[in-house]
Amino acid sequence: MNAGNRIDNAPTGAYGVGRSMSTTAYHRSALFLRDLAREPIEIVRGEGVYLFDDEGRRYLDGASGAAVASLGHGNAEIADVISQQARRLAYAHPSKFATREALELGQKMIERAPDGLTRVIFTSGGSESNETAIKLARQYHLGRGNANKYKVVTRRTSYHGATLGALAVSGQIGRRQPFAPMLLAQPMIAPTSCYRCPFGQQPESCHLECADDLETALLNEGPENVAAFIAEPIVGSSAPGRVPPDAYWRRIREICDTYDVVFIADEVMSGNGRSGRWWAMQHTDVSPDLLTTAKGIGAGYTPLGAVLAREEFHAVMQSVPGNFRHGHTYSGNPLSCTVGSKVIEIIERDGLLANVAARGLQLQQRLDEAIGAHPYVGSVRGRGLLMGIEFVQDRATKKPFPVEVDFRTRFSHACLAEGVYVYQGGGNVDGRRGDHALLAPPFILNEAQAEEMVTGITRALERVTRELPV
Ligand code: PLP
């Protein structure tokens, strides 16, 4: 295609699957939809890896929503524990009460956690987890007499959540822009990208300049002012499937230790088994100080998140008046905790971590064969079932499509038309430009279903290629 041409068939709302008039009722309904330009597809049922709409169409849930529904849909065992728990005890306020369900889930998570993480604070989602971790890092430094330490270093193009504190440490320009005056300015360093190295290096010539960039930022800001560094071990929605070399994390750990900076690993997407191990950090020999998570731990059956912390955070909070001055109403509610415990039990009992690793390798290999050489595919990458396809307008120069082309939406719609749901995204180049799709199917995906994903994605790419304006 010629990028200079006017884009006159940008996606308008058709999923390419045809929508009945009845669905337009959505726009007259009370719902404040997320996407106000397009009709949503009404999903009425889920079964295994599939979602079904109100007109009986079937979609393979190739992203588990957004790396959420890791056990797939309609799991009867989870439904049973929810029902039993709701009858037994739905809620007790965490200011005075603890419950058996929270104790049990906390214990299970710590037994599977990266080395050194011994305490759990429950939340209801990823943004809450990151807000909690940032505040814990700050109060930890305060409690140790380091009152100046408040800044949180993050990476450009990253995403760590939608609330103002989490958004302030997110590098996605498009998401930040409307709220820019309300966001605390936080230092940003280079992202890790072996495909699109911000330092122009090749893997052979890499000296981990992107890790050293943390030290540069700390020296610029004054390390005495910096509380924490936050990063995803495997990047999720903002540049899916980026995995830096292990040496990157060793260098980050070293820098954080040298300057007394808390290392927060955001495993909201990469955690809870999605990488093929419980935590993506466990593929390295590095442990964070705080680990944040959500999404897969509730597997879509309930909102649930957590922050895992080293013992010293607990000890310092115990020593300060008022302890940790932070909390959320639904933190550790027994209904969500019961689901979390069952999710862990099922993943282990059914050997799903091994399946995640095997299906991840299968998808990588088959996608490489099917679309790896396509002129619009820059990179197919990931670990376990946290994968991404990065699209480019020009493979040789890695030039992204102009934002107006909205390649990401064209592709995700074409996938829906082929019966596969993928999570579209963008901003991998500079926080705004760069189209990609996140692939993160449920852990129960079988070999044939993985093949079905590859076929749907391949056809969708052919469809978009045909339909792009020339
Ligand atoms: N951190 C990461 C890495 C995420 O991908 C997300 C959401 O996509 C969040 C944090 C925010 O999580 P939530 O949407 O549950 O608030």
Side-chain angles (χ1 to χ4, degrees), residues 10-22:
T12 56
Y15 287 99
V17 289
R19 303 297 305 148
S20 80
M21 288 303 284
S22 68

Side-chain angles (χ1 to χ4, degrees), residues 34 66 124-128 130 159-162 232 236-237 266-269 294-295 423:
R34 212 190 238 203
S124 302
S127 304
E128 256 186 34
N130 285 328
Y159 183 63
H160 296 292
E232 284 184 280
S237 63
D266 178 342
E267 296 230 26
V268 167
M269 276 216 179
K295 294 190 188 269
Y423 189 66

Side-chain angles (χ1 to χ4, degrees), residues 355-396:
N355 193 54
V356 166
R359 295 289 77 75
L361 289 176
Q362 180 191 346
L363 279 175
Q364 179 73 55
Q365 188 193 338
R366 290 288 300 113
L367 285 169
D368 280 343
E369 287 163 9
I371 60 166
H374 190 282
Y376 294 153
V377 173
S379 158
V380 180
R381 63 196 172 214
R383 177 169 272 164
L385 289 178
L386 184 52
M387 301 182 63
I389 308 173
E390 183 169 332
F391 299 104
V392 287
Q393 189 177 36
D394 185 327
R395 267 171 77 94

Side-chain angles (χ1 to χ4, degrees), residues 7 9-11 405-414 464 468-469:
I7 306 305
N9 70 338
V405 173
D406 200 3
F407 192 93
R408 62 198 78 163
T409 304
R410 290 173 188 276
F411 178 72
S412 70
H413 285 188
V464 178
L468 269 182

Side-chain angles (χ1 to χ4, degrees), residues 139 317-326:
Q139 219 188 311
M317 289 309 104
Q318 237 173 356
S319 72
V320 299
N323 305 139
F324 183 28
R325 296 207 201 153
H326 175 81

